[in-house]
Amino acid sequence: MKLKDHVCLMADYNQWMNQKIYEAAGTLPPEKLHENKGAFFSSIFGTLNHICVADTIWLKRFTPALLAHQALNQILDLSCPESLDVLLCENFSELKDRRQLIDEILSDLVSSLSDEELSQAVSYQNTKGVASTKIFFSLLMHVFNHQAHHRGQITTLLSQSGIDVGITDLVFIVPNA
């Protein structure tokens, strides 16, 4: 499988899962979404917000190296979160819109990439100002794995609230050979 095919599959999977998670979470009243469940980011809402924060930060980091890709133009309008727990949106509807925008940007971006671009080095600074240079493909895999990690936490929190998200396995959308 080419690198581009793999990142496109991951973008499709993440968009599919994010839609499922938001659909399930949207059945809860706001007080349940914001209820402190003892999770790392406190609540379902807090964890959903964190994923959007991290994705925004990563897309902002990618932009200087990939300015030729129009998909990233929309990210330029978004402010860069200063911390991993900054509140991006006041309510669930706004957060859902933000998630959809980020997923569209990721899908558009990966569909326009070449394997050569995925193999290029990208330099950035983390939230503490530490400089790094890593291969872009590996950074994208981190973004997708980070989402999956926290969505797993959210599915647990939703399950504790009596909500079954359903099938969550990547293999469900992997095409047959």
Side-chain angles (χ1 to χ4, degrees), residues 69-107:
H69 292 276
Q70 292 186 7
L72 289 171
N73 288 348
Q74 295 179 83
I75 205 71
L76 296 173
D77 296 333
L78 301 177
S79 61
C80 191
E82 295 181 19
S83 68
L84 294 174
D85 60 355
V86 68
L87 186 63
L88 292 179
C89 303
E90 293 297 321
N91 62 56
F92 182 76
S93 178
E94 291 174 8
L95 189 61
K96 183 177 179 184
D97 290 345
R98 177 73 168 248
R99 175 77 265 155
Q100 289 171 338
L101 173 65
I102 291 170
D103 285 346
E104 288 170 13
I105 292 169
L106 276 168
S107 290

Side-chain angles (χ1 to χ4, degrees), residues 22 25 28-37 39 41-53 85-96 154 157-158:
Y22 274 82
L28 291 173
E31 60 273 7
K32 285 286 190 187
L33 286 172
H34 291 272
E35 182 180 346
N36 186 339
K37 298 279 197 176
F41 292 95
S42 178
S43 64
I44 293 169
F45 188 90
T47 306
L48 290 169
N49 179 77
H50 167 71
I51 299 169
C52 283
V53 165
D85 60 355
V86 68
L87 186 63
L88 292 179
C89 303
E90 293 297 321
N91 62 56
F92 182 76
S93 178
E94 291 174 8
L95 189 61
K96 183 177 179 184
I154 294 165
L157 298 175
L158 288 168

Side-chain angles (χ1 to χ4, degrees), residues 6-23 48 51 55 74 96-111 143-144 147-148 151 165 167-168 170 173:
H6 187 67
V7 296
C8 286
L9 174 65
M10 294 305 296
D12 289 347
Y13 171 69
N14 277 281
Q15 191 166 30
W16 174 67
M17 279 305 306
N18 286 333
Q19 290 169 349
K20 288 173 62 93
I21 291 286
Y22 274 82
E23 183 178 310
L48 290 169
I51 299 169
D55 288 352
Q74 295 179 83
K96 183 177 179 184
D97 290 345
R98 177 73 168 248
R99 175 77 265 155
Q100 289 171 338
L101 173 65
I102 291 170
D103 285 346
E104 288 170 13
I105 292 169
L106 276 168
S107 290
D108 290 348
L109 175 63
V110 300
S111 70
V143 169
F144 294 137
Q147 283 192 41
R151 278 195 311 263
V165 175
I167 295 170
T168 61
L170 170 64
I173 69 162

Side-chain angles (χ1 to χ4, degrees), residues 114-143:
S114 67
D115 276 6
E116 292 77 29
E117 288 171 309
L118 287 163
S119 298
Q120 76 182 5
V122 173
S123 297
Y124 65 94
Q125 290 185 353
N126 70 13
T127 56
K128 294 180 172 43
V130 177
S132 292
T133 300
K134 307 220 185 254
I135 299 300
F136 183 45
F137 174 80
S138 298
L139 295 174
L140 271 176
M141 289 302 96
H142 168 72
V143 169

